[in-house]
Amino acid sequence: MPEPLLADQVASFNEGFTAQIGPTLSAVFDQEQAALRADGLPSAVPGVGQRFPDATLLTPAGTEVTLSDELRGRPAVIVFYRGAWCPYCNLTLRTYQRDLLPELTARGVQLVAVSPQTPEASEQAIANGDLAFPVRSDPGNALASELGILTAPSPEAREAHTELGFDVADSNADHTAGIPFPSVFVLDAAGVVRFVDVHVDYTERTEVQTVLTAVDALA
């Protein structure tokens, strides 16, 4: 039996989440998502054929590593996620671990997940999904900013987060609320973008088969 699509998993999660947090907080997040969709895609995101920038990232141990050293001239899938506090991110990373990573490994393609979190929060993301691929921190959202995918929760959403017992800034390395739009970039061995998928609505994510189709097109 095929594994469920991410969209189906999100729909199932939303049913329980709405029941858990109640209609008032649910309405806040619904309004935030509607506003993000209305604003549309950012305009500065690198397109197909552009070189993906290098960046200095942090491992969960706090060690600096450049993205180019991480990739070592291999084709890659770079996944930007908001943080270990985001249930949609955890769901996506778990699915990528189970369904995407084995396929990419067989194709010689590196998978890397990037967020603005502290290294300690990256460790939590790894634990949440039992992840076996590199999970890296982008301090201060330097790489996300260069890619034009930087955003932040609405003030109302941050108030809702507080009611739920957390604040994004507590997880971020620079103690701000900046977060990337959930995004997937497929790079060829030369570090050139061959596919990009940016989701302004953070409940929507790139399906495994969509990534694999883009990866197979590299050949």
Side-chain angles (χ1 to χ4, degrees):
M1 183 176 179
E3 298 292 347
L5 295 174
L6 277 167
D8 294 335
Q9 295 182 63
V10 166
S12 178
F13 169 80
N14 279 340
E15 290 182 10
F17 188 54
T18 298
Q20 177 185 355
I21 67 176
T24 301
L25 292 183
S26 293
V28 171
F29 295 130
D30 288 345
Q31 291 164 7
E32 179 188 36
Q33 292 154 25
L36 288 166
R37 290 192 297 270
D39 287 343
L41 289 170
S43 59
V45 180
V48 171
Q50 293 184 254
R51 183 169 295 278
F52 197 83
D54 200 3
T56 299
L57 307 173
L58 296 179
T59 71
T63 304
E64 289 189 351
V65 60
T66 63
L67 183 60
S68 56
D69 284 343
E70 193 82 74
L71 302 185
R72 292 178 292 171
R74 292 171 292 178
V77 175
I78 313 296
V79 178
F80 286 84
Y81 71 105
R82 306 195 308 159
W85 52 269
C86 171
Y88 303 99
C89 297
N90 292 327
L91 185 155
T92 300
L93 294 178
R94 282 196 301 269
T95 299
Y96 286 176
Q97 168 66 33
R98 182 189 65 215
D99 301 335
L100 181 60
L101 180 62
E103 298 292 339
L104 294 181
T105 300
R107 291 163 169 80
V109 176
Q110 179 67 60
L111 176 62
V112 180
V114 180
S115 82
Q117 299 181 107
T118 63
E120 293 80 10
S122 291
E123 286 186 335
Q124 184 59 55
I126 293 170
N128 288 344
D130 196 20
L131 306 180
F133 53 85
V135 177
R136 301 295 180 243
S137 299
D138 174 25
N141 281 292
L143 180 56
S145 296
E146 188 169 358
L147 294 169
I149 59 172
L150 183 61
T151 183
S154 68
E156 295 80 9
R158 288 192 71 182
E159 290 180 12
H161 292 166
T162 300
E163 288 192 44
L164 293 172
F166 74 97
D167 183 54
V168 177
D170 292 337
S171 295
N172 279 1
D174 65 354
H175 306 296
T176 72
I179 48 177
F181 288 118
S183 305
V184 170
F185 294 84
V186 174
L187 314 182
D188 65 18
V192 175
V193 176
R194 296 303 177 192
F195 170 85
V196 57
D197 193 24
V198 177
H199 292 281
V200 294
D201 181 343
Y202 52 82
T203 68
E204 299 175 354
R205 301 301 168 105
T206 310
E207 297 288 353
V208 168
Q209 189 54 57
T210 302
V211 179
L212 290 177
T213 298
V215 167
D216 288 341
L218 296 176

